[in-house]
Amino acid sequence: MSSKQGGKAKPLKKPKSDQKEYDEVDMANLQKKKEEEKALKELKAKAQQKGSFGGAGLKKSGKK
């Protein structure tokens, strides 16, 4: 009796929800969030160009 159904059964996919309707406050919040993410992404890119802080890397203690 070798069955191919083993392990955990996959859950059924739920149907896609309809597009939500946003009011002006929600749209303003979404726009603000996108701008913050964009600024954060730019800062990350700028930080990667400069390299690590101090250049020390991981410090190891002298104890064993």
Side-chain angles (χ1 to χ4, degrees):
M1 289 199 349
S2 63
S3 66
K4 291 191 175 196
Q5 184 179 2
K8 199 172 189 180
K10 291 185 179 179
L12 296 174
K13 291 183 180 178
K14 62 181 180 180
K16 292 184 178 180
S17 60
D18 292 334
Q19 190 74 312
K20 293 183 180 179
E21 294 181 13
Y22 298 112
D23 59 0
E24 292 180 19
V25 176
D26 289 336
M27 291 299 289
N29 287 338
L30 287 173
Q31 184 69 23
K32 185 177 178 183
K33 188 175 178 183
K34 284 183 183 180
E35 289 174 2
E36 288 176 355
E37 287 178 4
K38 185 178 178 183
L40 194 73
K41 197 174 187 181
E42 289 175 2
L43 287 175
K44 282 184 182 180
K46 198 179 280 187
Q48 284 180 346
Q49 290 174 356
K50 290 184 179 178
S52 62
F53 297 107
L58 296 175
K59 292 186 179 179
K60 295 183 180 180
S61 65
K63 297 180 182 178
K64 285 192 175 180

